[in-house]
Amino acid sequence: MGDHKEQPLRVGAAVRRRRRALHLTLAVVAERSGLSVPFLSQVENDRARPSRSSLERVADALRTTAVELLAAADPACSVDVVRAEENEPGPEPRARALVRGHHQMHASEFTGDHEAGREFQYRNDQLMYVADGGVEIEAEGRAYRLGRGDTLYLTGGVRHRWRATVPDTRVVVVAVAENVEAVQNRSHRSRP
């Protein structure tokens, strides 16, 4: 009772809105992402569901993140419950949005191995929490090893990459949404 019931996430409209906001054609997005124009058209019209890897490629081509596209896929709700059993069954690794809709905060759970070579840089601050297993995170030229229950805070703009060091690792990433003006010019902060 009180749960937000709906079909699985459909990101097509969010992809189309983002592409149009950047004044890009499907051909340009296809070239940037390495995906075909027909496939991207099917995604935008919700006739095809992109894999996690394809969604990340589309997001990179649109200068955003897969999390942002997923968040923009649903209308905002003031109260929403995301049940663990709503997680789609499938092979590891997988990502699951913990917050649906367009909000000031995003949270995702990553289970299994992770594409270690992929570098991330978010505009706003984020927190990584290791729910199970272990990870190694490389940020600002240093490596950090985290185990179950550990957290790592990253200031907006910090480039980083991470990988699971233990099978069946679960990492929760909570971040201030890209659309929120949370970043201030850190060198010009006023002093009390």
Side-chain angles (χ1 to χ4, degrees), residues 148-159:
R148 184 175 185 221
D150 292 341
T151 61
L152 179 84
Y153 180 86
L154 295 162
T155 300
V158 172
R159 291 183 185 275

Side-chain angles (χ1 to χ4, degrees), residues 24-93:
L24 300 175
T25 64
L26 279 174
V28 170
V29 176
E31 183 180 324
R32 288 181 180 178
S33 67
L35 301 169
S36 71
V37 171
F39 175 71
L40 292 172
S41 177
Q42 289 179 340
V43 168
E44 284 193 0
N45 291 299
D46 287 318
R47 290 191 304 251
R49 291 190 63 187
S51 67
R52 176 177 158 213
S53 173
S54 293
L55 186 59
E56 286 176 352
R57 290 165 63 183
V58 169
D60 286 345
L62 295 174
R63 297 185 202 118
T64 189
T65 65
V67 171
E68 285 290 327
L69 289 175
L70 288 170
D74 283 338
C77 300
S78 58
V79 176
D80 190 15
V81 175
V82 178
R83 300 277 182 203
E85 62 267 12
E86 289 177 19
N87 201 10
E88 288 186 25
E92 301 290 333

Side-chain angles (χ1 to χ4, degrees), residues 8-173:
L9 285 179
R10 295 176 2 169
V11 298
V15 170
R16 183 184 309 110
R17 280 192 302 272
R18 178 69 179 176
R19 178 179 63 79
R20 287 180 177 169
L22 294 172
H23 306 289
L24 300 175
T25 64
L26 279 174
V28 170
V29 176
E31 183 180 324
R32 288 181 180 178
S33 67
L35 301 169
S36 71
V37 171
F39 175 71
L40 292 172
S41 177
Q42 289 179 340
V43 168
E44 284 193 0
N45 291 299
D46 287 318
R47 290 191 304 251
R49 291 190 63 187
S51 67
R52 176 177 158 213
S53 173
S54 293
L55 186 59
E56 286 176 352
R57 290 165 63 183
V58 169
D60 286 345
L62 295 174
R63 297 185 202 118
T64 189
T65 65
V67 171
E68 285 290 327
L69 289 175
L70 288 170
D74 283 338
C77 300
S78 58
V79 176
D80 190 15
V81 175
V82 178
R83 300 277 182 203
E85 62 267 12
E86 289 177 19
N87 201 10
E88 288 186 25
E92 301 290 333
R94 66 179 185 267
R96 170 172 89 98
L98 301 176
V99 176
R100 289 184 283 219
H102 193 69
H103 298 284
Q104 294 181 1
M105 178 192 76
H106 296 292
S108 296
E109 177 185 63
F110 298 91
T111 304
D113 202 4
H114 185 67
E115 190 179 332
R118 185 160 190 250
E119 186 174 75
F120 297 92
Q121 181 181 28
Y122 296 98
R123 179 172 174 233
N124 292 321
D125 298 358
Q126 75 173 38
L127 177 83
M128 297 179 78
Y129 170 74
V130 181
D132 283 312
V135 297
E136 182 174 83
I137 302 167
E138 184 183 316
E140 295 190 325
R142 293 184 58 192
Y144 302 89
R145 284 183 138 332
L146 303 178
R148 184 175 185 221
D150 292 341
T151 61
L152 179 84
Y153 180 86
L154 295 162
T155 300
V158 172
R159 291 183 185 275
H160 63 284
R161 66 184 81 222
W162 64 276
R163 68 179 184 87
T165 57
V166 176
D168 299 322
T169 291
R170 285 187 318 127
V171 176
V172 175
V173 177

